[in-house]
Amino acid sequence: MRPSPSIWLYNKIYNRKLFKMLPSVWRGVFDLYIFRGVLSSSLGEGAFNGQVHIQRIVCELLNGFQFAQIIETGTYRGVTTRYFYNKFSKEIYTVEKNKQFYHYSRLSMKDLISVHCINDDSVSFLQQHIIKDVGQTADKHVLFYLDAHWEKYLPLLEELKIIFTYYKHPIIIIDDFQVPDDAGYRFDDYGSEKKICIEYLNKLNKKNYYVFFPALNS
C-alpha cells in the first residue's frame, strides 16, 4: 500500500501554474480522490475547527429550537456541513464561492440527500434563496452559520442585512468573531474597518437583537 502523500506535496502541486489552469471540477476531483486523506488530516479535529464546546453549543441550539432549515455560507471542504447533517434531519443549504472547494464538497457529500451544495457568492445566494424560499420560512426559526469570509473578502455585513430584513426569527452563528476579554479566541481582522467584532455589527444600525459569546474560557 502506497504511503499517503504529505500536505507539503499537495501544496507544491496546488501552487503549480499548470494545476491552476485545470478546470475547477477536475481540481475538485483530484482533491477528493487523490488527496482526500491528506486534506482531511489538515482540516483540524472536525467541525468548527475542532472546537468541542462550539459543537456542544450547536447541539443545544438544535435541541432547543425547531429549526426549519440550516443555511451555511462558506462550505470549504464540508466538514462542518457534514456535522450539521448528522445532527439535523431537515434541509441544509451550504454555499461556496470557490469552485474547486465547491466541487470537492459536492462530490464528497453527494450521498447526503438533505444537503444542497451551491456554487455562488454568499450574498447572491441569500438574495436568490429568499426569493424562492423565504415565504415558507420567514416566520420560523432558521439557523445561519456564516463563515464565507476569506482573506480580504468580507460579505458578512451584507449577509446580516439580508437575514435581518427577511427573517423574523434567525439564530446566527458567526465564525472567526472576536470574543471580548479573551484573546485566546482567534478572530479575523482584515483592517480598514473589517475586524469581525461587536463594533463591526454597529454598522447594521439595528438595535433589537441579542449577542451571545461562549462562556467557556479559551
Side-chain angles (χ1 to χ4, degrees), residues 8 20 38 65 69 72 114 124 126 139-140 151 157:
W8 173 86
K20 292 182 177 181
V38 171
F65 294 90
Q69 59 187 217
E72 174 189 35
S114 62
S124 174
L126 287 172
D139 294 328
K140 300 177 182 179
E151 295 181 346
L157 194 64

Side-chain angles (χ1 to χ4, degrees), residues 111-183:
D111 58 319
L112 311 186
I113 57 175
S114 62
V115 174
H116 307 278
C117 295
I118 299 96
N119 178 214
D120 200 354
D121 174 271
S122 61
V123 173
S124 174
F125 161 72
L126 287 172
Q127 291 170 336
Q128 295 300 316
H129 185 72
I130 284 167
I131 293 173
K132 174 184 176 182
D133 189 73
V134 75
Q136 301 178 34
T137 58
D139 294 328
K140 300 177 182 179
H141 285 104
V142 176
L143 179 62
F144 292 86
Y145 178 58
L146 306 183
D147 190 21
H149 33 274
W150 186 259
E151 295 181 346
K152 294 182 179 180
Y153 177 67
L154 185 57
L156 182 58
L157 194 64
E158 292 303 313
E159 292 174 341
L160 292 170
K161 286 179 178 179
I162 293 170
I163 293 168
F164 280 130
T165 298
Y166 293 97
Y167 290 86
K168 294 182 179 179
H169 307 292
I171 292 180
I172 305 167
I173 302 172
I174 302 175
D175 195 29
D176 306 310
F177 200 96
Q178 183 184 36
V179 177
D181 303 319
D182 194 335

